[in-house]
C-alpha cells in the first residue's frame, strides 16, 4: 500500500468522509478510505494493513462513529501503533469511555457547527504532519502599472474665492497662466504697528519689495508677538501669511471692487475704502514711523507706529 492518510468514519456519515478525502487528495495527500480502497473479501486484514501503513489517522468523530464497533477498533489499532491521530468533530457528541481516553490529548478540529468550517486548518495540519508542502495558489498576473494622470492645476482670476483646505482668501494677483498668485485675508483688524514702548526701536524691516522678509525681521525679535500687534495678527492666520508691502496694498486697492464682491458674497468684511492700511515696511530714515497705504487712492504716507491702522494679511499660492 502507498498512502498517507487513513480516514476512519461511520458509514452513516460517508458523504462528509468522502468530501474530506477529496479535499485532502486535491491538496497532494493520498488517502485510504473504505469501501473505495477495499479489494477482495479480506476486509479486516486490509483495514489493518491500511492503518499500519498510514502516516496520519483522521478520525471523523460524530454521534454515529462514537457507537460504531468498527470505528472503535480502528482507533484502538491506530493508538497502539502510535499513529498521528487528528480528530475532526462534525457534531456536538461528547467524548466518553475509550474515545475520551484515547482522543482527549489529541489536537481537535471542531467543525460541529458547520463541518466545512475547519477544512483550511485540516489541510494545513494534515500536510504538516505528513510532510507535504501546503499547495499555494498560482500567483495572479499583475496588471501592467499605468501612469497616473497628472492632476490639472486649478486656475484663478482676480476676485476669485480661494480655499485649498489650509488657507482661504480672495485672489488679488495671478500669474499669466492663472495657476499661482496671491490672496488677501477674508477679515481684517485694527492694530498698532508697534506698541508705544518699542515704537522707536529699529527693526530693520525696511524692505519695500519683500513683505515676507519684513515679517521674518520682526519675528526674529524677542517677544515680537506682544511688541508688534499687526504682525502677530497676520501670523495667527497660519503659515505663509504676512503683512503686505505698499505695492501689494496698492494692487489690492485697484481690485477692490472684485474683492469686495467676493467678500460680501461670503459674509466677510469688505475693505475700508477711505481708510489707511499698514504695510510691513518701517521708514528707514525714521525709526518711529512705518508706511501705510490709503486704500481708495493708493497714496502712501508714514505715521507713528503706535497709532492704530487697519491690517489685512496676504499669502502666496
Amino acid at each position: 500500500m502507498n498512502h498517507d492518510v487513513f480516514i476512519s468514519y461511520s458509514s452513516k456519515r460517508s458523504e462528509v468522509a468522502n468530501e474530506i478525502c477529496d479535499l485532502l487528495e486535491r491538496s497532494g495527500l493520498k488517502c485510504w478510505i473504505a469501501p473505495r480502497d477495499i479489494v477482495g473479501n479480506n476486509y479486516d486484514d486490509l483495514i489493518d494493513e491500511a492503518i499500519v501503513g498510514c502516516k496520519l489517522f483522521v478520525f471523523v468523530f460524530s454521534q454515529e462513529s462514537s457507537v460504531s464497533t468498527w470505528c472503535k477498533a480502528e482507533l484502538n489499532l491506530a493508538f497502539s501503533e502510535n499513529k498521528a491521530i487528528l480528530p475532526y468533530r462534525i457534531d456536538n457528541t461528547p467524548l466518553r469511555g475509550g474515545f475520551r481516553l484515547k482522543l482527549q490529548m489529541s489536537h481537535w478540529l471542531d467543525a460541529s457547527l458547520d463541518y466545512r468550517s475547519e477544512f483550511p486548518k485540516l489541510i494545513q495540519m494534515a500536510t504538516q504532519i505528513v510532510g507535504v508542502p501546503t499547495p499555494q495558489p498560482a500567483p495572479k498576473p499583475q496588471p501592467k502599472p499605468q501612469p497616473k494622470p497628472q492632476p490639472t492645476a486649478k486656475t484663478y482670476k482676480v476676485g476669485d474665492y480661494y480655499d485649498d483646505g489650509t488657507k482661504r482668501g480672495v485672489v488679488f494677483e495671478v500669474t499669466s497662466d492663472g495657476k499661482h498668485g496671491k490672496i488677501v485675508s477674508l477679515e481684517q483688524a485694527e492694530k498698532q504697528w508697534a506698541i508705544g514702548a518699542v515704537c522707536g526701536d529699529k527693526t530693520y524691516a525696511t524692505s519695500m519689495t519683500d513683505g515676507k522678509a519684513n515679517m521674518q525681521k520682526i519675528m526674529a525679535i524677542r517677544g515680537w508677538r506682544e511688541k508688534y500687534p499687526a504682525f502677530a495678527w497676520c501670523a495667527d492666520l497660519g503659515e505663509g501669511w504676512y503683512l503686505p508691502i505698499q505695492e501689494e496694498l496698492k494692487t489690492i486697492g485697484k481690485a477692490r471692487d472684485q474683492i469686495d464682491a467676493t467678500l460680501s458674497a461670503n459674509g466677510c468684511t469688505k475693505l475700508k475704502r477711505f481708510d489707511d492700511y499698514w504695510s510691513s515696511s518701517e521708514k528707514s530714515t525714521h525709526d518711529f514711523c512705518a508706511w501705510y497705504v490709503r486704500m481708495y487712492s493708493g497714496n502712501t504716507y508714514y505715521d507713528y507706529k503706535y497709532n492704530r491702522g487697519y491690517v489685512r494679511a496676504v499669502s502666496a499660492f
Side-chain angles (χ1 to χ4, degrees):
M1 292 186 179
N2 181 22
H3 59 277
D4 303 305
V5 181
F6 182 95
I7 300 176
S8 177
Y9 67 99
S10 166
S11 60
K12 294 180 180 179
R13 304 306 295 268
S14 60
E15 181 180 348
V16 177
N18 286 323
E19 191 169 343
I20 289 174
C21 178
D22 181 63
L23 177 77
L24 294 176
E25 290 189 333
R26 282 190 286 110
S27 300
L29 300 172
K30 187 173 182 179
C31 299
W32 195 99
I33 187 170
R36 184 192 70 178
D37 296 312
I38 293 179
V39 180
N41 298 321
N42 298 324
Y43 196 88
D44 296 359
D45 292 341
L46 290 171
I47 290 178
D48 181 280
E49 291 177 13
I51 294 174
V52 171
C54 76
K55 298 176 183 177
L56 172 64
F57 183 91
V58 173
F59 186 63
V60 182
F61 185 76
S62 63
Q63 192 277 331
E64 294 82 3
S65 62
S66 71
V67 295
S68 166
T69 302
W70 278 106
C71 288
K72 289 179 182 178
E74 291 167 355
L75 178 61
N76 286 336
L77 179 57
F79 187 82
S80 64
E81 290 289 327
N82 291 318
K83 295 298 177 180
I85 299 174
L86 182 56
Y88 193 85
R89 184 197 292 268
I90 61 173
D91 61 26
N92 287 319
T93 302
L95 283 175
R96 294 190 181 92
F99 285 108
R100 180 165 58 184
L101 176 67
K102 294 179 177 65
L103 298 179
Q104 64 181 350
M105 298 301 292
S106 299
H107 183 86
W108 282 78
L109 291 177
D110 189 349
S112 55
L113 297 179
D114 176 2
Y115 75 85
R116 294 187 178 94
S117 63
E118 294 297 305
F119 276 4
K121 288 185 180 178
L122 175 62
I123 295 172
Q124 181 184 19
M125 294 186 66
T127 53
Q128 287 177 348
I129 292 170
V130 173
V132 176
T134 304
Q136 299 296 322
K140 295 181 179 179
Q142 296 298 315
K144 185 177 181 180
Q146 298 296 321
K148 294 183 179 180
Q150 295 298 318
T152 303
K154 187 175 180 179
T155 58
Y156 296 89
K157 63 182 184 299
V158 172
D160 281 350
Y161 183 83
Y162 180 91
D163 184 357
D164 68 353
T166 60
K167 57 186 175 184
R168 298 179 301 158
V170 181
V171 177
F172 71 90
E173 182 179 303
V174 290
T175 55
S176 58
D177 61 5
K179 296 179 181 179
H180 304 283
K182 294 177 183 177
I183 57 174
V184 62
S185 60
L186 298 177
E187 296 296 340
Q188 64 184 26
E190 195 173 4
K191 298 287 184 180
Q192 296 171 294
W193 201 96
I195 62 174
V198 297
C199 181
D201 292 356
K202 191 172 187 65
T203 66
Y204 297 97
T206 56
S207 176
M208 305 293 277
T209 59
D210 192 342
K212 286 184 179 180
N214 289 336
M215 191 82 175
Q216 290 170 356
K217 292 284 187 183
I218 296 297
M219 293 172 68
I221 298 171
R222 185 174 182 180
W224 68 275
R225 284 187 172 276
E226 293 74 28
K227 296 176 180 178
Y228 301 96
F231 291 88
W233 186 86
C234 294
D236 287 342
L237 294 181
E239 185 178 356
W241 290 98
Y242 61 93
L243 192 62
I245 57 172
Q246 296 172 54
E247 290 305 315
E248 288 169 328
L249 287 169
K250 290 179 182 180
T251 303
I252 292 170
K254 291 177 182 178
R256 60 185 179 275
D257 290 338
Q258 299 100 304
I259 294 172
D260 276 347
T262 302
L263 290 171
S264 180
N266 287 276
C268 303
T269 305
K270 294 197 292 185
L271 297 166
K272 296 287 184 180
R273 296 194 172 205
F274 299 101
D275 286 298
D276 303 325
Y277 284 78
W278 280 123
S279 81
S280 60
S281 305
E282 182 180 62
K283 192 173 189 322
S284 59
T285 59
H286 199 321
D287 296 342
F288 284 88
C289 297
W291 292 98
Y292 63 83
V293 175
R294 187 151 296 165
M295 189 57 62
Y296 180 77
S297 64
N299 292 332
T300 59
Y301 308 88
Y302 60 87
D303 198 2
Y304 289 107
K305 300 174 189 174
Y306 57 74
N307 286 331
R308 298 175 72 86
Y310 285 104
V311 177
R312 286 271 180 174
V314 297
S315 182
F317 68 89

